[in-house]
């Protein structure tokens, strides 16, 4: 893995999307997923006043207690604070929803603060805190699982192009990009299409369509077809703080 600020930011964002992709369905190999976390990881809530896990073993037990029904988590905004080659912190705001039959979804706006470390070229969460700050009153449920899986792959690819050199060449090597994905597939799904928007500062957004194949035990999905990007004029950009 490269050790630039951009690559560290992308690796941290890939962790965030993998975290939510794992939480949102019954899919996922728990032991492999735990490799995303430092052995002494802490998971807390409400600004650290509640502690859910103090290491990987306790985190595994916490995962086992998470309800199985599908949920969604849309990352609305994120900030990476770089601490050099050894790590940094990723903060993000999330719109959470849980669907209910014949009723509007229940949800909240959650502030996440995390510490990310890099050892041997591998990014891991060392600490996470999730603090609800507002109710989410959006009346319609908006799925996010397939988008998380696509974004996890693409941010991993930006941080480590050797994962798939030909796909990385198609994606390009932007240093300040935000990736947005639209992938309204039911969760989970073994095949889905994601419309990807890559937005860089002072450039028009580039749009492409990626077809992915996925499975319950895959750390990341696999792209099977990619359209070419279409560059939109910078004058057409409608700046938005939303990062999903």
């Amino acid at each position: 893995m490269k050790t630039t600020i951009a690559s560290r930011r992308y690796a941290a964002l890939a962790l965030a999307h993998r975290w939510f992709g794992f939480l949102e369905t019954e899919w996922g190999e728990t032991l492999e997923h735990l490799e995303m976390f430092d052995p002494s990881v802490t998971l807390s809530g409400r600004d650290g006043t509640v502690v859910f896990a103090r290491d990987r073993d306790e985190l595994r037990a916490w995962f086992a207690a998470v309800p199985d029904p599908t949920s969604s988590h849309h990352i609305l905004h994120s900030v990476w604070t770089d601490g050099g080659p050894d790590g940094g912190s990723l903060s993000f705001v999330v719109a959470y929803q849980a669907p209910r039959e014949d009723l509007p979804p229940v949800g909240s706006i959650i502030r996440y603060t995390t510490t990310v470390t890099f050892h041997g070229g591998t990014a891991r969460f060392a600490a996470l805190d999730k603090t609800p700050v507002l109710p989410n009153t959006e009346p319609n449920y908006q799925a996010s699982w397939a988008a998380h899986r696509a974004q996890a792959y693409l941010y991993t690819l930006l941080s480590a192009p050797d994962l798939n050199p030909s796909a990385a060449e198609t994606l390009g090597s932007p240093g300040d990009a935000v990736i947005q994905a639209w992938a309204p597939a039911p969760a989970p799904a073994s095949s889905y299409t994601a419309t990807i928007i890559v937005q860089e500062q002072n450039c028009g957004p580039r749009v492409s369509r990626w077809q992915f194949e996925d499975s319950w035990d895959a750390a990341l999905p696999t792209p099977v077809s990619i359209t070419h990007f279409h560059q939109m004029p910078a004058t057409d950009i409608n700046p938005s703080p939303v990062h999903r």
Side-chain angles (χ1 to χ4, degrees):
M1 179 184 291
K2 297 181 293 184
T3 58
T4 65
I5 293 175
S7 66
R8 291 192 290 272
R9 170 177 167 264
Y10 293 143
L13 286 167
L15 288 180
H17 287 290
R18 287 182 63 190
W19 161 266
F20 289 125
F22 184 80
L23 288 180
E24 290 183 0
T25 73
E26 70 278 11
W27 269 17
E29 171 52 58
T30 301
L31 291 179
E32 181 176 19
H33 190 66
L34 287 171
E35 290 298 317
M36 289 174 46
F37 306 92
D38 187 86
S40 58
V41 62
T42 59
L43 174 64
S44 61
R46 301 189 181 280
D47 293 319
T49 60
V50 179
V51 178
F52 302 110
R54 297 175 179 84
D55 56 31
R56 277 187 188 168
D57 288 340
E58 291 187 3
L59 185 61
R60 181 180 183 182
W62 183 84
F63 281 135
V66 173
D68 287 336
T70 297
S71 58
S72 69
H73 305 75
H74 292 276
I75 299 178
L76 305 178
H77 179 70
S78 68
V79 176
W80 168 249
T81 302
D82 192 69
D86 292 334
S89 62
L90 181 69
S91 301
F92 44 99
V93 178
V94 172
Y96 162 76
Q97 289 181 305
R100 298 185 294 177
E101 187 174 357
D102 299 326
L103 290 170
V106 63
S108 59
I109 305 300
I110 303 173
R111 181 182 68 246
Y112 271 80
T113 56
T114 74
T115 301
V116 178
T117 60
F118 294 89
H119 296 295
T122 300
R124 289 190 172 96
F125 281 129
L128 305 93
D129 183 86
K130 54 192 193 76
T131 299
V133 293
L134 291 169
N136 180 3
T137 58
E138 167 60 45
N140 300 310
Y141 180 74
Q142 301 177 6
S144 60
W145 176 82
H148 283 306
R149 295 291 286 168
Q151 287 168 283
Y153 179 87
L154 293 170
Y155 277 125
T156 300
L157 187 62
L158 285 172
S159 68
D162 289 345
L163 174 68
N164 187 330
S166 61
E169 184 177 356
T170 300
L171 187 61
S173 300
D176 58 4
V178 169
I179 292 175
Q180 293 175 272
W182 184 71
S190 59
S191 179
Y192 47 87
T193 299
T195 299
I196 304 298
I197 301 173
V198 178
Q199 176 66 68
E200 301 174 68
Q201 292 182 6
N202 304 318
C203 296
R206 291 175 291 148
V207 182
S208 63
R209 181 166 294 173
W210 295 58
Q211 180 71 30
F212 288 96
E213 291 184 352
D214 213 334
S215 62
W216 76 271
D217 59 346
L220 294 167
T222 300
V224 293
S225 66
I226 308 169
T227 66
H228 292 292
F229 283 111
H230 300 284
Q231 183 78 42
M232 297 172 64
T235 54
D236 291 344
I237 300 174
N238 181 19
S240 171
V242 174
H243 166 212
R244 294 182 176 173

